[in-house]
Amino acid sequence: MQLTGTQFTDTTAKVGNDLATFPDFPAEIRAPAGSRAGVSGFQIHFSSHDIYTPGDAPSVLVAMNPAALITNYEDLQPGGIILVNTGAFTAADLKKAELDVNPLTDGTLKGFRVIEEDINQRTTEALADLGLGKKDVLRCKNFYTLGMVYWLYSRPMEPTLEWLQKKFAKKPELIEANSRALKAGYNHGELLRLFQGRYEVPKVEDAPKGHYRNIMGNEAVAIGLVAGAKLANLKPFLGSYPITPATDILQHMALLKNYDVITCQMEDEIAGICTAIGASFAGRLGMTTTSGPGLALKTEAAGLAAITELPLVIVNVQRGGPSTGLPTKVEQSDLLQSMFGRNGDCPIPVVACATPSDAFDCAVEACRIATEYMTPVILLSDNYIANGTEPWKLPVMDELKPFPMTFATDPEGFSPYTRDEKLARNWAKPGTPGFEHRIGGLEKDAVTGNVSYVPENHQVMTETREAKVMGIRESIPTPPLNGEATGDLLVVAWGSTFGATRAAVERLQKEGVKATHLHMRHLWPLPHGLLEIFKGFKRIIVPEMNRGQLAWVLQSRYPEVRFESYDKVKGKPFQARELKAHFETILEEMS
Amino acid sequence: MQLTGTQFTDTTAKVGNDLATFPDFPAEIRAPAGSRAGVSGFQIHFSSHDIYTPGDAPSVLVAMNPAALITNYEDLQPGGIILVNTGAFTAADLKKAELDVNPLTDGTLKGFRVIEEDINQRTTEALADLGLGKKDVLRCKNFYTLGMVYWLYSRPMEPTLEWLQKKFAKKPELIEANSRALKAGYNHGELLRLFQGRYEVPKVEDAPKGHYRNIMGNEAVAIGLVAGAKLANLKPFLGSYPITPATDILQHMALLKNYDVITCQMEDEIAGICTAIGASFAGRLGMTTTSGPGLALKTEAAGLAAITELPLVIVNVQRGGPSTGLPTKVEQSDLLQSMFGRNGDCPIPVVACATPSDAFDCAVEACRIATEYMTPVILLSDNYIANGTEPWKLPVMDELKPFPMTFATDPEGFSPYTRDEKLARNWAKPGTPGFEHRIGGLEKDAVTGNVSYVPENHQVMTETREAKVMGIRESIPTPPLNGEATGDLLVVAWGSTFGATRAAVERLQKEGVKATHLHMRHLWPLPHGLLEIFKGFKRIIVPEMNRGQLAWVLQSRYPEVRFESYDKVKGKPFQARELKAHFETILEEMS
Amino acid sequence: MSEVQQLKAKDFKSDQEVRWCPGCGDYSIISGVQKTLAEVGVKKENVVFISGIGCSSRFPYYMDTYGMHSIHGRANAIATGVKVANPELDVWVITGDGDGLSIGGNHMIHSLRRNVGLKIILFNNEIYGLTKGQYSPTSPQGLKTKTSPYGSVDAPFDPMQLALGAGATFVARTMDVSPKHMKEVLAVAARHKGAAFVEVWQNCVIFNNDTFKGWTEKAVRDEMTISLVAGEPMIYGKERDKGLKFDHTAIVKCSADEAAVWDPTQESMGQAFLMTQLDKDPSMPRPMGVLRQVTSPTLEELVHDQVDEVTDKRGTGELKDLLYTPDVWEVK
Amino acid sequence: MSEVQQLKAKDFKSDQEVRWCPGCGDYSIISGVQKTLAEVGVKKENVVFISGIGCSSRFPYYMDTYGMHSIHGRANAIATGVKVANPELDVWVITGDGDGLSIGGNHMIHSLRRNVGLKIILFNNEIYGLTKGQYSPTSPQGLKTKTSPYGSVDAPFDPMQLALGAGATFVARTMDVSPKHMKEVLAVAARHKGAAFVEVWQNCVIFNNDTFKGWTEKAVRDEMTISLVAGEPMIYGKERDKGLKFDHTAIVKCSADEAAVWDPTQESMGQAFLMTQLDKDPSMPRPMGVLRQVTSPTLEELVHDQVDEVTDKRGTGELKDLLYTPDVWEVK
Ligand SMILES: Cc1ncc(C[n+]2csc(CCOP(=O)(O)OP(=O)(O)O)c2C)c(N)n1
Ligand SMILES: Cc1ncc(C[n+]2csc(CCOP(=O)(O)OP(=O)(O)O)c2C)c(N)n1
Ligand code: SF4
Ligand code: SF4
Ligand SMILES: [Mg+2]
Ligand SMILES: [Mg+2]
């Protein structure tokens, strides 16, 4: 399913549609096919205008078996099309899906346009003369279905046919089989006109000029980190340990060896961050990637990076918690851990990305902050961004402004804790004669950097570390408003709630409501100018996929105004329509 | 120094004075004697009325060498007495203390009453005929000094003489030497009347009747945990890893094997908490003790305890941070880590003790919450409490109310996630036939406890875990006010800032100021009734040995009122007089 | 409930659907364990399975005993707590090459040196299964995986060698494709007093298929592995015509007659360790079976003995004694 | 600065006051290291000392080189990052029996198996010094310490045995009270390519005084220890009249003439491992010196070779290539 989903995505992007996708894997490697836990979904939203989410309520659902049908049909738009593979609706199939009656016949699907088709049978027929085994034949059924959907949405088959050539170069029989299945499905649609009419989504006419590429969030982080290091004039070093849904970043960076990238898969998360700290000490840009439970393990070492004031980027791709929680589902519940999950007073800047392509910019931004301020930085992504795809308008190369690091040059009177105007300390790397020095986790003298137990010094150093991080505000903009600067409703979102929020607010705006969306990329320190904005609105809603973590932070910092948390912790992203509905309730209360 | 300090403490307690002590160790095991880093201090405050701190400004300072003098004289009360051992003021001694001129002669000590005495010489003379080596003789100088101080404060020598008999039972020559030194010092004071007059501190007349015992904070936690387990009708299991300043708790519990106590010193902090989780799963009461960096390492496993809903007590004895920080100094900077330092939405109750004897009650309280609510609990102490001593009025045995745990009894339809009215889940332990079940870190079905990826279920479980912890509020009192219920100034303190705050506020009250002190034992969930209290005051000050962590929490929860943080991060406790001075400034602003 | 019933393998199956990939070696291992439990004759309620995270670590869900699917790498530590808290329990640790040797390596070696009475089954598939195919600490150098697209540069551990280095009292190896051998080995492990470390070669059909094929495939198995059995000569080969013996500090091939008798119960680990060096010579068979099996006091015994001793000496401590120590004074 | 100057031991002393207890074995080790560095002839700016936390871990502060006093147990991991980031550096790890074998045990064994080019000095005093006297993973069973007031119940690790189990390419042992032997061993370690693990018996005068006395004291040292030197016969005793040789898989005493020649460079770890079993017989001397010393590619070499290879094949990646991949399309 993921494979065919990807094909549809690529083809659609090439046709020039804006799109967003959201694959939904089962947590087991191979959960039993046909069981509810084994349902593998792939949602794609495409349109001729800017879109921000993979689409809340799909208009078409393709259900390859009863489990897929039953776990997804409720999300469909009223009146939407359901394409069902009846070949997989035997009694045994129903049982696997824990169904006593057949949902095709018991009225469950009332209100939808159901198209029943024995796709197993159709595929078998289409490939009858190829002499393939039954298993192999049935593996082609997804391409048969893809063909039907291509017909429905008037997509060209060529990109996928080409892709099949490459993919199965060594197995020509599979090229033939899948291609034939694809075409058969397409023709089937055409011939039988199964659907009432055909969709045609023209390409986005007003898309800004430029170069585009489809990008997944994890890949965007990977290349963003490599780009960020290059812009800092440093070589990146990634010390990591696999964990869903962050592993892809390590996997992608491991491919980029010819970009001066070193990746080390270490024995655990602690070793991952520690090698990165060591690499930074040695003069590279240390990085580490993980997800919630891994971040929990890295906190002690993050404190070491903070007190030794070494540059370090910590990427945390959030998933459902607490503990192992829902490892393959989305959540935004590591914000407070990122801010406070370390012993002592230990502020670390936090940046969060909004969409797959924004992840590139945010990764570069994290590298900038880490190096300009000599500090560890936490970059928050989540499972929704990590595995989602969208077309990415590539930056023109000149737009990427370098922020080259400099190492200390004058050994005379060198001290590792002398600071520049940003309060960043001096950096000198091993191998450079005359700068020999020692750093460490004990409190150190504000001037010499030697260990110091002097009471007053600890106060000074604690305040200096804090002031340095707060000073980052001088380098970040007040976030722009989407909507008017004052009004009834301000929606403050962060991370991947961006898309659904933007869509919901824009819909309200179109309906003439005075609603505004504020997206927060920088979560710590908070940018200047927020209070002034907040004061301009009657109600402020903070939708989060957690129990109100950003709302907690904002409420503490801005007691002058009230923040209302709206939460969803279901392992699924917000839908624009549910947000819109919630906002409408709020607005009604006000009127 | 620590040894003689302890003797003075014990003697003073037996005389019937109220007291509080604060030993101050160097961070190195044996930092070079005579160096500033090597100064080992012991502060004791005793009086005839209730006292809350080891005394901000001592009235007598005993300085055994220049380093001790120079690092401490500023804390002394104006006009205070300084007793100096001139035998340790040679040029070499001054150099070790990094002094160019002798502070005894350069006017540094103007305003103090300095008593110079060559204690080395005096001690040597006193022991001349014993035939001891020079080193051994000089080791007795602290007892000579103690003798002088005993004389000054009219303490009896008997308890110490008896103690020496026991301590050196196998080395009679040392009994003789130290006893003689003690007496010689005492007599020296008496004979020469070195001091202008003698202090006599009568015993506390209004001390409540009952049994008393001197207790250090760490020991109080240890016996509190053992008592708590007994009250829960469970056997305690402590899995721990040594770390300053928490190690004593492990050490003390290791002695209590005949109280059904098992202690395991594990390979690291993670193994410490994990064995405790395993022990709880097996039906004991699991516990783990640590300090800040260790807590950072335990956070992932704490999440497992939270989602498996097993009882567990996590004790964190705070020290200066971040990272290794100031391991032998005091700080309160792990509050936010305790509240938020875990992945996912993962609330855990937090309790903090105020004084060494309060640590006993808080440890029992932590056990109560852990078992009644089937949850991990964090108990916060700090280095000041851990190593401080005070007389503890022992509870009458009847006052200790048991809260016995019950295990599930009916295997019929048993499910580990069925809950009682407190939302605590069913507990059944391995070894019991008919209750076989599996738990784990993945999200689980609200009813069966089996793994569940159902979206709605995760929302329910997240809210249930939260509701359970918030429900603890029903079992805790609104904290009592020390002072009137409304007024100009409310001081909200937690942990070991209790003492200095109480003293400062009481002094203000005596001066007729409308100031009130509120001490918070329960930091999460926050008790009922706080907002009503807060609203009664014009200004609310939150003094903390961190950069405003409780203030952050309160501000977020009670935006209706304003909290003003007053911080000290110098590795030293607040002094009542500095708090009082700060409060006075605030009050002046108001007038 | 008081009568001990002879349980069957199927009595240990829980009601949860087993969710490994079709063809995964894990199936054969769980069935081996279930049979072993039935054979050894344990009480269901006394059995506890503790696992970490990984495909293999889902094991406890499928067993109708007590169990915990804990967090990655920590099974040994949690199991230590369970066993010390209640030595009556039969505590099994289920772990993978990533779970038990990568993130959990430290708890592994410490539980082995302490000789905690745990039966530890390490599912070694030389790959991270659950996270979909990254190299593990047992993956051979050069293996191309998702995180080592150009080949892994890490030299691997030999799990048995590591266990011996840590001082394990019981070390063994078996394979998923030989249920009979597995059951034999597991039965000895189940009866061992102290920490029993059993490496199982387990095939991951999806991400590292056939990694052990060169030794485990029926056609070569008899030639490429040797099953070590206590008190029996070290013989192998389809025709059982080949032997191994010690030549000074080396192990050399010989005829079946000359084969030395295997003795895993020696105090010195010398011979067991030599066995782990066989893989340096590709022509040599790989050792399977029990490499070491010695008796030594267990952690839980020593802990409880000490508690008993101190209690005997001082008397059972009552709550009151805890508080009212001899240094108490009274204010009247 | 470009001329290489011959540095002296004292050139490696930093301006920080050394703060170990008078009489602590650490003094002799730091002096041994300083002498070794001078002798081996390193450049000061290329030397990095990474330590964890413990008395021993204060070491870097006292060295006028680059250094980091990091966090408890993580020195090996941090040092791995340093060495892989810049293989030109001479990276030393300073750790204790608690730091390197208790909390840091996992990073220790993993850095050994990966053969990271680190010189690892493990200060083994069989106690936690800095936290004032608790038993460590090398403390003998029964040791009474602050956390084991009735005697420790944990069976200890043998550090060299563990290192061999982990696959270390260099394993050695020396003692604080023999500066000469220490310097010899450290010099070989310093020149080893790959991970060099050196256990140093170090006396903690305060919390575990004289724990090694039975072997290290002048009066017994020659009888109770044997110094293993590559290519030389295994002879010991004050009169150098005693020898060791291999009798099948055992090591037995013999006359000096019959003594076997020691060879730490064999691929099989068999003999080295047998040496670690000597302590099972109290009448046997304890092995000191280099137990194993084999050459194998280091992690940092393999990592950088792979980077070079991929770069040769694909060309140096420019920022633009990273973004503008072949699947880009243009909207005009
Ligand atoms: C703290 C933490 N880090 C990483 C992970 C991700 N993770 C889960 S299982 C696994 C490795 C599984 O490999 P192995 O132990 O060999 O088990 P297998 O799946 O091969 O049976 C990893 C890295 C996690 N769940 N938790
Ligand atoms: C995370 C963490 N846990 C525990 C400690 C406390 N601690 C510091 S050093 C040490 C053990 C020291 O023993 P060892 O490594 O043998 O060094 P030694 O002092 O004996 O040289 C411990 C437990 C710490 N600093 N950090
Ligand atoms: S991924 Fe591999 S190890 Fe995991 S269940 Fe599938 S075959 Fe088994
Ligand atoms: S405590 Fe022991 S190890 Fe630490 S400095 Fe003192 S003698 Fe050395
Ligand atoms: Mg595996
Ligand atoms: Mg030590």
Short mmCIF file of all heavy atoms in Angstrom, two decimals, chain A residues 300, chain B residues 241-243 269 293-294 297 319, chain D residues 53-56 72 96-99 103 125 127-131, ligand 2:
data_model
loop_
_atom_site.label_atom_id
_atom_site.label_comp_id
_atom_site.label_asym_id
_atom_site.label_seq_id
_atom_site.Cartn_x
_atom_site.Cartn_y
_atom_site.Cartn_z
N GLU A 300 20.78 13.74 30.45
CA GLU A 300 21.95 14.04 31.28
C GLU A 300 23.08 14.60 30.42
O GLU A 300 23.71 15.58 30.76
CB GLU A 300 22.44 12.79 32.03
CG GLU A 300 23.44 13.16 33.12
CD GLU A 300 24.46 12.07 33.41
OE1 GLU A 300 24.44 11.02 32.75
OE2 GLU A 300 25.30 12.29 34.30
N TYR B 241 21.97 3.65 43.03
CA TYR B 241 23.36 3.81 42.59
C TYR B 241 23.89 5.02 43.35
O TYR B 241 23.21 6.03 43.44
CB TYR B 241 23.40 4.04 41.07
CG TYR B 241 24.80 4.06 40.51
CD1 TYR B 241 25.55 2.89 40.44
CD2 TYR B 241 25.39 5.24 40.08
CE1 TYR B 241 26.85 2.91 39.96
CE2 TYR B 241 26.69 5.26 39.58
CZ TYR B 241 27.42 4.09 39.52
OH TYR B 241 28.70 4.10 39.05
N PRO B 242 25.11 4.89 43.90
CA PRO B 242 25.60 5.98 44.74
C PRO B 242 25.72 7.30 43.97
O PRO B 242 26.14 7.30 42.81
CB PRO B 242 27.00 5.50 45.16
CG PRO B 242 26.99 4.01 44.98
CD PRO B 242 26.05 3.77 43.83
N ILE B 243 25.36 8.36 44.59
CA ILE B 243 25.58 9.70 44.04
C ILE B 243 25.41 10.71 45.17
O ILE B 243 24.46 10.63 45.95
CB ILE B 243 24.64 10.01 42.85
CG1 ILE B 243 24.98 11.38 42.24
CG2 ILE B 243 23.18 9.94 43.26
CD1 ILE B 243 24.32 11.63 40.88
N GLU B 269 22.06 4.22 37.46
CA GLU B 269 20.78 4.74 37.92
C GLU B 269 19.63 4.05 37.21
O GLU B 269 18.55 3.87 37.77
CB GLU B 269 20.69 6.24 37.65
CG GLU B 269 21.42 7.10 38.67
CD GLU B 269 22.90 7.22 38.38
OE1 GLU B 269 23.37 6.57 37.42
OE2 GLU B 269 23.57 7.94 39.12
N PRO B 293 21.56 14.44 38.27
CA PRO B 293 22.00 13.76 37.05
C PRO B 293 21.46 12.34 36.99
O PRO B 293 21.18 11.82 35.90
CB PRO B 293 23.53 13.74 37.19
CG PRO B 293 23.87 14.83 38.15
CD PRO B 293 22.70 14.92 39.08
N GLY B 294 21.30 11.73 38.14
CA GLY B 294 20.74 10.39 38.18
C GLY B 294 19.27 10.40 37.83
O GLY B 294 18.77 9.50 37.14
N LEU B 297 18.75 10.35 34.23
CA LEU B 297 18.91 9.03 33.62
C LEU B 297 17.70 8.13 33.86
O LEU B 297 17.46 7.18 33.11
CB LEU B 297 20.17 8.34 34.17
CG LEU B 297 21.48 8.95 33.68
CD1 LEU B 297 22.65 8.42 34.50
CD2 LEU B 297 21.69 8.65 32.20
N ARG B 319 21.09 18.87 44.18
CA ARG B 319 22.39 19.51 44.35
C ARG B 319 22.55 20.55 43.24
O ARG B 319 21.66 20.66 42.39
CB ARG B 319 23.49 18.45 44.26
CG ARG B 319 23.52 17.74 42.92
CD ARG B 319 24.47 16.55 42.93
NE ARG B 319 25.23 16.47 41.69
CZ ARG B 319 26.09 15.51 41.41
NH1 ARG B 319 26.31 14.54 42.29
NH2 ARG B 319 26.76 15.50 40.28
N ILE D 53 33.54 10.54 35.65
CA ILE D 53 33.54 11.15 36.98
C ILE D 53 34.05 10.11 37.98
O ILE D 53 33.71 8.95 37.92
CB ILE D 53 32.12 11.59 37.40
CG1 ILE D 53 31.54 12.61 36.41
CG2 ILE D 53 32.12 12.19 38.81
CD1 ILE D 53 32.05 14.02 36.54
N GLY D 54 34.85 10.59 38.90
CA GLY D 54 35.47 9.75 39.91
C GLY D 54 36.74 10.46 40.33
O GLY D 54 37.12 11.46 39.70
N CYS D 55 37.39 9.96 41.37
CA CYS D 55 38.67 10.59 41.75
C CYS D 55 39.60 10.59 40.56
O CYS D 55 40.17 11.62 40.18
CB CYS D 55 39.32 9.80 42.88
SG CYS D 55 38.44 9.91 44.44
N SER D 56 39.75 9.42 39.95
CA SER D 56 40.66 9.25 38.83
C SER D 56 40.30 10.19 37.68
O SER D 56 41.16 10.68 36.96
CB SER D 56 40.61 7.81 38.35
OG SER D 56 39.31 7.27 38.50
N HIS D 72 29.53 10.88 34.31
CA HIS D 72 29.85 9.56 34.85
C HIS D 72 29.57 8.44 33.84
O HIS D 72 28.43 8.26 33.40
CB HIS D 72 29.03 9.36 36.11
CG HIS D 72 29.51 8.25 36.99
ND1 HIS D 72 30.84 7.93 37.16
CD2 HIS D 72 28.83 7.38 37.79
CE1 HIS D 72 30.94 6.92 38.00
NE2 HIS D 72 29.74 6.56 38.39
N GLY D 96 37.57 4.92 36.00
CA GLY D 96 37.73 4.11 37.20
C GLY D 96 36.93 2.82 37.08
O GLY D 96 36.21 2.60 36.11
N ASP D 97 37.04 1.99 38.09
CA ASP D 97 36.31 0.72 38.05
C ASP D 97 34.81 0.96 38.15
O ASP D 97 34.02 0.17 37.62
CB ASP D 97 36.78 -0.22 39.17
CG ASP D 97 36.97 0.46 40.51
OD1 ASP D 97 37.41 1.62 40.53
OD2 ASP D 97 36.68 -0.16 41.54
N GLY D 98 34.40 2.07 38.78
CA GLY D 98 32.98 2.40 38.80
C GLY D 98 32.60 3.07 37.49
O GLY D 98 31.65 2.68 36.81
N ASP D 99 33.36 4.08 37.14
CA ASP D 99 33.06 4.86 35.94
C ASP D 99 33.10 4.02 34.67
O ASP D 99 32.21 4.11 33.83
CB ASP D 99 34.11 5.98 35.86
CG ASP D 99 33.77 7.02 34.82
OD1 ASP D 99 32.73 7.68 34.98
OD2 ASP D 99 34.53 7.17 33.85
N ILE D 103 28.66 2.02 35.61
CA ILE D 103 27.74 2.80 34.76
C ILE D 103 28.23 2.86 33.31
O ILE D 103 27.44 2.90 32.37
CB ILE D 103 27.54 4.21 35.35
CG1 ILE D 103 26.45 4.99 34.61
CG2 ILE D 103 28.83 5.00 35.38
CD1 ILE D 103 26.01 6.25 35.34
N ASN D 125 40.69 0.55 41.70
CA ASN D 125 40.98 0.51 43.14
C ASN D 125 39.93 -0.32 43.87
O ASN D 125 39.85 -0.32 45.09
CB ASN D 125 41.08 1.93 43.73
CG ASN D 125 39.86 2.77 43.40
OD1 ASN D 125 38.83 2.23 42.98
ND2 ASN D 125 39.95 4.07 43.58
N ILE D 127 36.91 0.08 44.39
CA ILE D 127 36.05 0.86 45.30
C ILE D 127 35.60 2.13 44.57
O ILE D 127 36.23 2.53 43.59
CB ILE D 127 36.83 1.24 46.59
CG1 ILE D 127 35.89 1.63 47.74
CG2 ILE D 127 37.81 2.37 46.35
CD1 ILE D 127 35.32 0.47 48.51
N TYR D 128 34.51 2.71 45.03
CA TYR D 128 34.14 4.05 44.58
C TYR D 128 34.84 5.03 45.50
O TYR D 128 34.48 5.13 46.68
CB TYR D 128 32.63 4.27 44.69
CG TYR D 128 31.80 3.51 43.69
CD1 TYR D 128 30.42 3.57 43.74
CD2 TYR D 128 32.38 2.75 42.69
CE1 TYR D 128 29.64 2.88 42.82
CE2 TYR D 128 31.62 2.06 41.77
CZ TYR D 128 30.24 2.12 41.84
OH TYR D 128 29.47 1.44 40.94
N GLY D 129 35.83 5.72 44.98
CA GLY D 129 36.57 6.66 45.81
C GLY D 129 35.80 7.96 46.02
O GLY D 129 35.48 8.34 47.14
N LEU D 130 35.45 8.60 44.93
CA LEU D 130 34.89 9.96 45.02
C LEU D 130 33.63 10.02 45.87
O LEU D 130 33.40 11.00 46.58
CB LEU D 130 34.60 10.52 43.63
CG LEU D 130 34.24 12.01 43.60
CD1 LEU D 130 35.44 12.87 43.95
CD2 LEU D 130 33.69 12.42 42.25
N THR D 131 32.80 8.99 45.80
CA THR D 131 31.58 9.03 46.60
C THR D 131 31.80 8.44 48.00
O THR D 131 30.86 8.13 48.71
CB THR D 131 30.43 8.29 45.89
OG1 THR D 131 30.92 7.04 45.40
CG2 THR D 131 29.92 9.10 44.70
C1 LIG E 2 25.12 9.97 36.75
C2 LIG E 2 25.97 9.91 37.96
N1 LIG E 2 25.78 8.91 38.82
C3 LIG E 2 26.54 8.83 39.93
C4 LIG E 2 27.49 9.77 40.19
C5 LIG E 2 28.27 9.69 41.46
N2 LIG E 2 29.61 9.15 41.29
C6 LIG E 2 30.63 9.95 41.01
S1 LIG E 2 32.09 9.12 40.86
C7 LIG E 2 31.33 7.65 41.21
C8 LIG E 2 32.10 6.36 41.30
C9 LIG E 2 33.54 6.58 41.35
O1 LIG E 2 34.19 5.34 41.35
P1 LIG E 2 35.33 5.01 40.32
O2 LIG E 2 34.87 5.18 38.94
O3 LIG E 2 35.84 3.67 40.70
O4 LIG E 2 36.41 6.15 40.55
P2 LIG E 2 37.37 6.43 41.79
O5 LIG E 2 36.74 7.56 42.53
O6 LIG E 2 37.44 5.17 42.58
O7 LIG E 2 38.65 6.82 41.14
C10 LIG E 2 29.99 7.82 41.42
C11 LIG E 2 29.07 6.73 41.74
C12 LIG E 2 27.64 10.81 39.24
N3 LIG E 2 28.56 11.77 39.39
N4 LIG E 2 26.88 10.84 38.15
#
